């Protein structure tokens, strides 16, 4: 018998930020959220032993909209399919693994984020990001996920271009497996009859607009695009959305996953749009998206489009200003880049989709809120600003810093995040990675005190700007489980409302006095009830996963694979973009001996290797760098100094430069360097070397022993710049 609910509902819009490989964390959050909602339904149906359906909370919590960028769009897209796949069966931890209870609730999501996407294939997987199948020839039409229907395919015999440094065909395989559904399952009562899914896109072609003034027309082009899908057949919760229902969508039904070819093609286009949102520039291949235009407003996907902007919600007349040739073309198609470049946190699409009235804000008072946006953002770590002397005044330095600056600015949304951080706001919440450990200390009387401490690094996929999760499955697995654990903690302790909330007034009396449903006191209220109570498997504590590390052998294997990928891609890039005679000269520089001199190749690979190693060391994610203790210096602080000694931007470092780049005092830096020169460090990877010369200011210069200059260079001195030497790169004040 279905769970009986009262008249009170709480609506959820879920926003998932871009995160590259850290999308594994977001997937884990989504995995546990669906588990919690399903177990609540099972408890209400009398399917959980020991739980009386007449005594459980009987309000309704429902999901109306998913919005995502980049990795968040992929999670939303695959997560929605997993909701409709009848063959999704939970997986327990094996007896030989750490942890207990459920490991995965939605295997399709786990496979897409943990099992399959890696730089090196593991556990029987055949393909990875460093294979070269993407350059072997064009894919078959069935396996072609580079473009949606309506976009012309290249002619037979056309050269296969290099579209990304990594082999994005792996993502095509993941997308194809994602829409491989044999049987559609039952509709879920907490999913809206029409589930709206918004995925952001960076439209490199652009959409033109015109605003007419009395004095003339003002023309502009928007590159911040999105695709809006309205998915039916996943749920039966009757909950319309004034904003999203009237914002022209691409309609798609779950039944079409197993229906006629035309319906399956719609789902293939859907998955390609998700890949387009995740097309990280240079690293992952762009996609081409086809859209419908024309003179028929009912078909034109851009005409009458709604914008989630308060000042525009009641306005019209901002339709695109298409040129006649574009409008009359058979199709409008465009190349995309990562949707997170322009809108990495599509919070507003979720907020407007759950509004009761698009012209009015959602109720934020804790005692009255009946809807909320929950944003999952996997990157909580502090992002350092550039040092005082960066970027340099040169054109190349300014240009290289400009794109990251524009992306950072596009992602700066203080009005959204400040409200989400407000403990008295009941309409906006944030779930971000948190590794909380218990630290025990003894006071003067020998009494043990325990306190919770947030570890400096929470997610294993945070290295290399978010690409680091692809280094090892263990990294992604950690983040998936951490996402599940953090979601459980969020539902139990944070996503709560005060007892006087109308939603709880209709609870059965037994539920109100049952301590199981009562949340811990928060800063915003003395006592509260969980909006989503936990039952069954969702109630079992999700264990904190062990911090993962890779072996030195694994790191060396990774470097070998990167070298092979470089040797395959670099010549192909030259052939594609450079003409002779320059192509021949550069070809010698990118090819290894004996086929070339390899100057560019060797420097590029050295830079890549050092950058990866520095991040692994900084975040304690590689074995063999277990450090001795030092008074007054934490393990993390020592690693900060060691990572700077690995930084490929410098050959030698001085104390003041290390202090500036690590934010440590010079005394702490000296202690770390002394530790690296101690007897305990001899022969270890973290052994430090002090140069026999100083910088111009008389300061000592240091490097890791593995990176000290060659013997002849040490004899000739730092200023020798003969034909085989260049000046050493050192911290200011330099030579």
């Amino acid at each position: 018998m279905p769970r009986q609910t009262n008249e009170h509902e709480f609506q959820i819009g879920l926003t998932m930020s871009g995160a590259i490989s850290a999308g594994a964390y977001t997937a884990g959050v989504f995995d546990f959220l669906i588990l919690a909602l399903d177990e609540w339904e099972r408890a209400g149906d009398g399917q959980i032993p020991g739980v009386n359906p007449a005594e459980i909370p009987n309000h309704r919590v429902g999901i109306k909209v998913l919005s995502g960028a980049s990795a968040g769009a992929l999670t939303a897209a695959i997560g929605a399919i997993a909701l409709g796949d009848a063959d999704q069966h939970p997986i327990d931890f094996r007896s030989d693994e750490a942890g207990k209870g459920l490991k995965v609730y939605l295997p399709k999501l786990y496979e897409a984020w943990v099992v399959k996407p890696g730089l090196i294939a593991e556990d029987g997987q055949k393909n990875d990001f460093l294979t070269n199948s993407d350059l072997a020839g064009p894919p078959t039409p069935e396996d072609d996920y580079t473009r949606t229907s309506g976009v012309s395919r290249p002619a037979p015999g056309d050269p296969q271009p290099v579209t990304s440094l990594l082999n994005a065909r792996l993502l095509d395989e993941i997308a194809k497996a994602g829409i491989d559904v044999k049987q559609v399952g039952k509709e879920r009562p907490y999913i809206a009859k029409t589930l709206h899914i918004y995925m952001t896109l960076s439209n490199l072609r652009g959409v033109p607009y015109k605003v007419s003034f009395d004095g003339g027309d003002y023309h502009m082009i928007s590159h911040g695009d999105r695709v809006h899908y309205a998915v039916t057949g996943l749920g039966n919760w009757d909950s319309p959305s004034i904003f999203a229902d009237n914002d022209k969508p691409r309609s798609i039904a779950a039944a079409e996953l197993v229906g006629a070819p035309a319906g399956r093609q719609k789902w293939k286009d859907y998955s390609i749009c998700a890949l387009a949102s995740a097309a990280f520039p240079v690293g992952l291949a762009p996609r081409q998206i086809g859209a419908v235009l024309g003179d028929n407003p009912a078909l034109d996907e851009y005409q009458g489009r709604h914008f989630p902007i308060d000042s525009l919600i009641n306005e019209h007349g901002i339709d695109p200003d298409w040129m006649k040739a574009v409008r009359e073309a058979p199709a409008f198609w465009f190349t995309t880049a990562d949707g997170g470049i322009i809108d990495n946190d599509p919070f507003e699409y979720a907020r407007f989709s759950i509004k009761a009235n698009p012209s009015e804000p959602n109720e934020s008072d804790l005692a009255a809120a009946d809807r909320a946006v929950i944003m999952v953002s996997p990157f909580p770590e502090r992002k350092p600003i550039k040092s005082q002397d960066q970027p340099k005044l040169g054109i190349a330095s300014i240009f290289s810093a400009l794109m990251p600056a524009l992306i950072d600015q596009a992602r700066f949304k203080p009005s959204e995040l400040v409200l989400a951080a407000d403990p008295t706001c009941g309409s906006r919440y944030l779930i971000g990675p948190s590794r909380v450990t218990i630290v025990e200390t003894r006071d003067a009387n020998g009494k043990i005190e325990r306190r919770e401490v947030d570890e400096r690094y929470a997610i294993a996929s945070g290295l290399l700007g978010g690409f680091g999760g692809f280094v090892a499955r263990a990294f992604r697995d950690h983040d998936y489980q951490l996402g599940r654990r953090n979601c459980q903690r969020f539902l139990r302790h944070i996503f709560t409302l005060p007892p006087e909330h109308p939603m709880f007034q209709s609870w059965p009396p037994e539920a109100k006095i049952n301590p199981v449903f009562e949340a811990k006191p928060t800063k915003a209220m003395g006592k509260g009830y969980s909006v989503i109570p936990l039952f069954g498997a969702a109630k079992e504590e999700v264990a904190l996963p062990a911090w993962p590390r890779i072996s030195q052998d694994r790191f060396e294997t990774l470097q070998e694979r990167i070298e092979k990928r470089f040797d395959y891609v670099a010549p192909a890039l030259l052939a594609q973009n450079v003409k002779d005679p320059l192509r021949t000269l550069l070809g010698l520089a990118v090819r290894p001996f004996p086929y070339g001199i390899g100057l560019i190749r060797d420097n590029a690979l050295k830079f890549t290797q050092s950058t990866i190693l520095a991040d692994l060391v900084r975040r304690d994610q590689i074995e063999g760098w277990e450090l001795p203790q030092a008074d007054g210096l934490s393990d993390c602080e020592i690693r900060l100094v060691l990572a700077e000694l690995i930084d490929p931007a410098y050959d030698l470092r001085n104390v003041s430069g290390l202090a500036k780049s690590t934010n440590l005092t010079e005394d702490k830096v000296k202690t770390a360097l002394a530790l690296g020169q101690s007897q305990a460090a001899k022969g270890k990877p973290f052994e430090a070397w002090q140069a026999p010369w100083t910088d111009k200011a008389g300061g000592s210069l240091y490097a890791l022993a593995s990176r000290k200059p060659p013997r002849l260079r040490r004899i000739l001195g730092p200023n020798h710049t003969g034909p085989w030497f260049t000046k050493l790169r050192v911290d200011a004040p330099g030579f």
Side-chain angles (χ1 to χ4, degrees):
M1 179 179 178
R3 182 169 74 93
Q4 300 300 305
T5 59
N6 59 40
E7 70 278 12
H8 295 289
E9 296 180 342
F10 196 97
Q11 302 184 16
I12 290 178
L14 198 61
T15 292
M16 293 170 271
S17 303
I20 317 175
S21 66
Y25 174 86
T26 305
V29 171
F30 188 86
D31 182 287
F32 189 88
L33 177 62
I34 300 304
L35 166 67
L37 291 168
D38 272 353
E39 290 294 85
W40 186 9
E41 295 299 325
R42 289 183 64 240
D45 294 346
Q47 297 179 21
I48 296 182
V51 177
N52 184 351
E55 298 178 357
I56 69 169
N58 57 357
H59 61 280
R60 163 69 65 213
V61 175
I63 300 175
K64 180 178 287 187
V65 56
L66 307 176
S67 64
S70 192
L74 275 175
T75 302
I78 298 174
I81 298 172
L83 291 176
D85 190 344
D87 294 329
Q88 294 295 285
H89 303 295
I91 300 173
D92 288 325
F93 277 99
R94 296 192 300 271
S95 59
D96 60 341
E97 290 188 17
K100 60 181 180 179
L102 279 185
K103 177 179 183 179
V104 178
Y105 189 64
L106 298 173
K108 187 177 287 289
L109 207 53
Y110 184 79
E111 290 169 7
W113 273 113
V114 178
V115 176
K116 295 181 178 179
L119 291 171
I120 301 177
E122 300 179 68
D123 300 328
Q125 297 298 308
K126 296 180 179 179
N127 202 4
D128 57 46
F129 282 125
L130 294 176
T131 55
N132 299 315
S133 60
D134 55 332
L135 301 177
T140 64
E142 180 184 357
D143 293 331
D144 188 359
Y145 282 72
T146 63
R147 65 206 72 218
T148 63
S149 54
V151 181
S152 59
R153 287 174 51 81
D158 284 356
Q160 183 67 20
V162 179
T163 56
S164 59
L165 295 182
L166 299 179
N167 182 358
R169 292 272 179 92
L170 176 61
L171 294 180
D172 299 358
E173 294 178 10
I174 293 173
K176 184 177 180 180
I179 59 175
D180 182 15
V181 175
K182 303 295 188 297
Q183 181 182 0
V184 175
K186 295 180 180 179
E187 296 176 343
R188 284 173 160 83
Y190 57 83
I191 299 293
K193 281 185 176 180
T194 299
L195 176 65
H196 295 281
I197 300 178
Y198 283 94
M199 298 182 278
T200 62
L201 305 170
S202 291
N203 183 333
L204 299 183
R205 190 176 180 185
V207 180
Y209 289 91
K210 178 181 71 175
V211 179
S212 296
F213 294 90
D214 290 340
D217 296 331
Y218 183 81
H219 297 272
M220 51 191 170
I221 292 181
S222 171
H223 294 277
D225 212 335
R226 47 72 166 178
V227 62
H228 171 203
Y229 275 93
V231 185
T232 56
L234 299 178
N236 55 28
W237 175 40
D238 190 9
S239 182
S241 168
I242 295 176
F243 173 83
D245 289 343
N246 291 286
D247 178 35
K248 199 174 301 176
R250 296 183 174 190
S251 298
I252 194 169
E256 292 176 302
L257 282 163
V258 295
R264 293 199 299 273
Q265 179 62 49
K266 289 167 66 175
W267 279 101
K268 183 179 180 182
D269 287 348
Y270 164 94
S271 66
I272 295 171
C273 288
L275 294 177
S277 184
F280 193 89
V282 181
L284 299 172
R287 310 287 163 162
Q288 294 178 328
I289 305 298
V292 176
L293 300 181
D295 294 326
N296 185 346
L299 298 177
D300 189 329
E301 292 188 48
Y302 287 89
Q303 189 168 348
R305 176 175 285 190
H306 286 216
F307 291 84
I309 302 173
D310 290 303
S311 59
L312 296 179
I313 199 63
N314 293 319
E315 298 294 329
H316 192 67
I318 53 172
D319 292 327
D321 182 35
W322 299 113
M323 296 176 63
K324 183 178 180 181
V326 174
R327 179 174 291 283
E328 294 178 352
F332 172 73
W333 60 270
F334 54 91
T335 302
T336 66
D338 194 311
I341 292 176
I342 295 175
D343 190 356
N344 198 56
D345 304 298
F347 184 95
E348 292 300 297
Y349 284 110
R351 183 172 76 91
F352 272 78
S353 294
I354 64 173
K355 278 188 174 188
N357 184 342
S359 300
E360 299 177 1
N362 292 319
E363 177 61 63
S364 62
D365 184 79
L366 285 169
D370 62 355
R371 60 200 71 214
V373 177
I374 300 174
M375 187 164 77
V376 185
S377 183
F379 285 140
E381 297 165 6
R382 175 180 293 180
K383 193 171 183 179
I385 64 172
K386 291 185 178 296
S387 60
Q388 206 164 17
D389 59 341
Q390 294 293 328
K392 304 292 185 184
L393 293 180
I395 292 177
S397 183
I398 295 293
F399 185 79
S400 64
L402 184 59
M403 181 57 72
L406 293 175
I407 294 174
D408 286 341
Q409 187 59 42
R411 296 177 178 180
F412 182 65
K413 299 181 178 181
S415 61
E416 298 170 9
L417 296 177
V418 168
L419 284 175
D422 185 352
T424 66
C425 179
S427 64
R428 304 183 183 206
Y429 294 88
L430 175 68
I431 303 178
S434 173
R435 272 186 64 91
V436 178
T437 54
I438 305 298
V439 175
E440 294 185 353
T441 56
R442 291 182 181 272
D443 61 18
N445 299 320
K447 181 181 179 182
I448 296 178
E449 296 182 351
R450 293 179 175 85
R451 58 188 177 90
E452 291 186 345
V453 176
D454 274 303
E455 295 188 8
R456 181 185 183 97
Y457 299 111
I459 55 171
S461 299
L463 70 159
L464 303 178
F467 271 97
F470 297 135
V471 168
R473 173 174 172 172
F475 293 178
R476 304 186 299 277
D477 198 8
H478 167 277
D479 293 349
Y480 196 94
Q481 299 307 325
L482 185 69
R484 298 182 73 250
R485 177 180 173 85
N486 286 175
C487 185
Q488 183 183 56
R489 183 182 178 90
F490 169 78
L491 297 180
R492 182 175 284 159
H493 302 304
I494 299 173
F495 195 33
T496 63
L497 295 173
E500 61 268 22
H501 193 286
M503 191 165 61
F504 304 137
Q505 299 306 307
S506 299
W507 273 15
E510 294 82 0
K512 294 181 181 180
I513 61 174
N514 191 335
V516 171
F517 309 129
E518 186 174 319
K520 290 183 178 179
T522 66
K523 294 179 181 179
M525 53 191 172
K527 179 174 112 173
Y529 293 118
S530 295
V531 177
I532 300 178
L534 303 181
F535 295 94
K539 190 177 175 182
E540 299 173 4
E541 186 75 17
V542 179
L544 179 68
W547 187 245
R549 299 177 181 88
I550 63 170
S551 67
Q552 185 66 33
D553 287 344
R554 168 80 180 198
F555 176 73
E556 291 173 1
T557 299
L558 175 63
Q559 302 316 308
E560 293 171 2
R561 292 292 311 281
I562 291 174
E563 287 181 16
K564 291 180 180 179
R565 176 70 179 176
F566 181 94
D567 291 341
Y568 203 87
V569 169
L573 275 172
L574 285 178
Q576 178 180 314
N577 298 290
V578 182
K579 296 181 179 181
D580 277 331
L582 181 59
R583 180 170 63 192
T584 301
L585 293 174
L586 289 176
L588 293 174
V590 301
R591 287 182 173 88
F593 182 82
Y595 305 103
I597 57 176
L599 288 178
I600 294 177
R601 174 189 186 271
D602 294 346
N603 284 329
L605 292 175
K606 180 180 178 182
F607 178 87
T608 301
Q609 177 181 1
S610 298
T611 299
I612 296 174
L613 180 60
D615 240 2
L616 289 170
V617 169
R618 182 182 295 109
R619 301 169 63 88
D620 190 16
Q621 289 183 245
I622 185 169
E623 298 171 356
W625 293 72
E626 292 76 17
L627 309 171
Q629 298 297 312
D631 292 337
L633 202 62
S634 69
D635 179 86
C636 184
E637 290 171 328
I638 300 172
R639 290 180 179 280
L640 288 175
V641 175
L642 293 177
E644 290 301 320
L645 292 178
I646 301 170
D647 187 345
Y650 301 94
D651 292 310
L652 296 169
R653 307 298 302 267
N654 58 30
V655 171
S656 61
L658 288 169
K660 183 188 298 184
S661 58
T662 59
N663 237 1
L664 300 176
T665 65
E666 291 195 5
D667 285 342
K668 286 192 172 185
V669 170
K670 290 176 181 178
T671 301
L673 291 171
L675 186 65
Q677 295 177 282
S678 66
Q679 189 62 37
K682 293 295 182 182
K684 300 292 180 63
F686 48 85
E687 180 183 354
W689 173 79
Q690 183 175 345
W693 54 79
T694 63
D695 61 24
K696 285 185 177 180
S700 297
L701 292 168
Y702 300 87
L704 286 181
S706 59
R707 295 190 67 204
K708 63 183 179 182
R711 182 176 179 84
L712 180 60
R713 182 60 186 272
R714 299 200 300 272
I715 294 174
L716 294 174
N719 290 316
H720 185 87
T721 55
W724 300 106
F725 295 102
T726 57
K727 187 176 291 187
L728 291 176
R729 298 161 297 175
V730 298
D731 275 317
F735 290 101

